[in-house]
Amino acid sequence: MISRRYGVTKVPDLLDRDVVVIGGCGHVGLPLALAFADRGARVGIYDVSETAVATVNSGRMPFAEPGAEEVLRRVLAAGHLEASVDPAMVGSAEYVVVVIGTPVDEHLNPDQSAIPKALGGCAGYLRDGQLLILRSTVFPGVTALVEKMVAGLGLQIEVAFCPERIAEGKAMTELFELPQIISSRTLAGTDRARSLFGRLTSKLVVMSPEEAELAKLFTNVWRYIKFATANQLYMMANERGLDFERIRQGLAEDYPRAADMPAAGFAAGPCLFKDTMQLAAFNHNNFPLGHAAMAVNEGLPLYIVHRLEQRFDLASMTVGILGMAFKAGSDDTRSSLSYKLKRILAFKADAVLCTDPHVTTDAALLPLDEVLDSSDLLVIAAPHPEYRGLVTDKPVADIWDALGQGVRI
Ligand SMILES: NC(=O)c1ccc[n+]([C@@H]2O[C@H](COP(=O)([O-])OP(=O)(O)OC[C@H]3O[C@@H](n4cnc5c(N)ncnc54)[C@H](O)[C@@H]3O)[C@@H](O)[C@H]2O)c1
């Protein structure tokens, strides 16, 4: 529940900026900083990546995000945005938004200390009267931990938790279109979060911090489980020689109750899997649905290779993987199942060649033509629009139906 306590209302004087985003050169921090700056706020970014800070200050995006680079140039020219590796930046604004990465470790354990640690690095610059807004997806209870931490530092700072819910690739529209969930322990904190996020949208949803922490995790887990359901149904149909995509489209035709059944495909990327594991850990690893979804989604590359092995002598073949990003149209390879597919195939096939028109961070990638020419068998792993209409005489495994020729393997 939100307390009736009004808490800290004094806003610090003589501030150069309205908002500082800690981790503001990242995939969600930068679009958010741009959105605030484009709505007239004076925005600072504090980020530990020197390369990303230099890239942003030079007017270039460190990663692809449609529509973002033109806004970046505009807000830099207007003097509304500056990025820095200097933690002193944190003391320059009334609103301090934290949006650093919160991954699980190699044993799938969440790191509850990621945000307190990041704040520890710049705590000397926090000042009384600021509103500290956690925007990262957090392990439930981290907001309360941060409240305790700032109180322990003797600071009069309100804390809010206002989770990010955009999808990469849609950030510059969704930031203005999606409702913003805002939460704080006090009415003053809630009012101030409302006033900041009210710059982006009039659709604000108020919750308690504990509700909002779960709301964010539930959102991602819900999506992950839906993808897993589709993937399991895909495998079931495929085992019987049936085309899941024909079945899915048929059952959803003019039938709204099934309209949200997703297509089969890799459910990957930096959020859905790790947030499902965060929620599982939060519930003492008692999360059969979440763990089943993980087994299905993470098992899909194994299933594909298993099916291909039944049809082809992989050991004598060169396999080409098309699309290494975690989803269509993206340049982001974080937690991409294309790389898991590559690892499995590298063990089974004679050779594996990879290509992707968007990814710029993998020196091993080859041009599409070279992969098409040199491969005996192709797998579409990320259904980039560039692959639609692809013409090849090689066999193609295409669980996404990117080529419109069915999804059977
Ligand atoms: N990527 C998405 O689509 C998405 C969507 C919604 C929510 N989220 C959540 O948002 C958070 C950030 O995700 P992301 O994808 O933007 O991560 P990211 O890795 O792209 O960005 C994080 C940024 O924080 C910087 N950073 C790391 N430690 C720092 C520190 N101590 N001080 C200052 N800067 C620091 C990094 O250099 C990087 O630029 C995560 O909690 C994620 O779960 C992500």
Side-chain angles (χ1 to χ4, degrees):
M1 290 296 290
I2 297 164
S3 127
R4 300 299 302 173
R5 184 170 67 85
Y6 262 84
V8 181
T9 46
K10 182 182 175 294
V11 174
D13 309 319
L14 297 173
L15 293 173
D16 299 332
R17 300 184 177 82
D18 302 300
V19 189
V20 164
V21 184
I22 301 180
C25 288
H27 288 80
V28 298
L30 185 50
L32 182 69
L34 294 177
F36 283 136
D38 211 28
R39 288 281 161 105
R42 296 159 304 158
V43 180
I45 285 173
Y46 164 55
D47 199 292
V48 291
S49 167
E50 285 185 20
T51 321
V53 163
T55 306
V56 167
N57 282 333
S58 73
R60 286 172 297 125
M61 289 293 291
F63 48 85
E65 185 59 53
E69 197 153 280
E70 64 199 70
V71 181
L72 174 60
R73 297 221 175 96
R74 186 159 70 228
V75 296
L76 284 172
H80 278 257
L81 184 79
E82 187 191 355
S84 174
V85 289
D86 182 353
M89 176 66 92
V90 169
S92 70
E94 175 187 349
Y95 297 101
V96 178
V97 182
V98 187
V99 65
I100 61 154
T102 48
V104 291
D105 71 12
E106 70 273 34
H107 305 295
L108 307 180
N109 300 306
D111 178 4
Q112 294 90 341
S113 65
I115 292 191
K117 257 192 233 149
L119 283 172
C122 54
Y125 297 97
L126 290 169
R127 48 201 284 181
D128 286 344
Q130 288 179 316
L131 180 68
L132 179 59
I133 298 171
L134 310 184
R135 184 77 167 167
S136 301
T137 306
V138 301
F139 187 84
V142 163
T143 309
L145 187 68
V146 169
E147 286 166 341
K148 208 166 140 192
M149 177 186 169
V150 292
L153 293 169
L155 290 165
Q156 300 292 305
I157 285 182
E158 304 278 2
V159 178
F161 174 64
C162 307
E164 182 57 79
R165 297 197 295 169
I166 54 118
E168 284 181 36
K170 297 183 178 166
M172 298 313 294
T173 50
E174 288 192 345
L175 274 165
F176 304 105
E177 288 171 357
L178 295 178
Q180 294 287 336
I181 292 178
I182 58 171
S183 73
S184 178
R185 196 81 53 202
T186 67
L187 285 180
T190 308
D191 282 350
R192 290 171 71 190
R194 183 182 282 119
S195 129
L196 180 64
F197 286 99
R199 288 175 181 251
L200 303 183
T201 174
S202 55
K203 292 182 273 183
L204 302 169
V205 181
V206 180
M207 294 185 184
S208 73
E210 284 66 34
E211 288 167 344
E213 288 176 339
L214 283 183
K216 173 62 201 182
L217 288 179
F218 285 177
T219 308
N220 280 2
V221 163
W222 178 241
R223 207 163 144 72
Y224 193 64
I225 291 172
K226 279 208 282 193
F227 288 144
T229 306
N231 285 334
Q232 178 132 59
L233 298 179
Y234 164 78
M235 293 185 237
M236 214 180 266
N238 195 59
E239 283 299 306
R240 283 144 186 91
L242 296 171
D243 186 315
F244 173 70
E245 191 50 22
R246 272 180 58 81
I247 300 170
R248 186 184 77 94
Q249 287 188 14
L251 69 84
E253 193 169 320
D254 293 332
Y255 193 72
R257 279 193 289 279
D260 65 341
M261 183 185 287
F266 287 165
C271 291
L272 302 187
F273 175 28
K274 70 105 175 157
D275 288 339
T276 304
M277 294 304 100
Q278 292 213 84
L279 191 60
F282 172 67
N283 207 41
H284 324 295
N285 260 10
N286 179 18
F287 191 14
L289 264 179
H291 285 123
M294 183 256 262
V296 172
N297 287 332
E298 289 290 305
L300 191 55
L302 290 158
Y303 175 76
I304 290 173
V305 176
H306 168 69
R307 289 291 299 186
L308 293 175
E309 268 183 310
Q310 292 174 338
R311 275 179 56 195
F312 301 101
D313 175 23
L314 289 182
S316 66
M317 296 175 94
T318 296
V319 183
I321 302 181
L322 275 51
M324 301 307 289
F326 84 84
K327 67 175 181 179
S330 170
D331 65 349
D332 192 347
T333 59
R334 291 178 298 167
S335 303
S336 168
L337 284 174
S338 304
Y339 283 89
K340 183 165 184 170
L341 179 69
K342 180 184 177 184
R343 267 199 314 279
I344 304 161
L345 282 170
F347 186 65
K348 307 261 185 182
D350 183 40
V352 184
L353 307 176
C354 301
T355 183
D356 192 296
H358 299 275
V359 172
T360 56
T361 48
D362 181 350
L365 298 187
L366 298 170
L368 175 62
D369 285 349
E370 205 174 319
V371 173
L372 293 181
D373 286 349
S374 310
S375 302
D376 306 304
L377 168 64
L378 301 166
V379 183
I380 298 186
H384 291 309
E386 288 82 350
Y387 301 146
R388 266 183 230 131
L390 182 92
V391 178
T392 173
D393 55 1
K394 312 281 169 69
V396 185
D398 177 17
I399 61 163
W400 304 91
D401 206 20
L403 306 189
Q405 291 167 5
V407 297
R408 270 181 300 175
I409 297 182

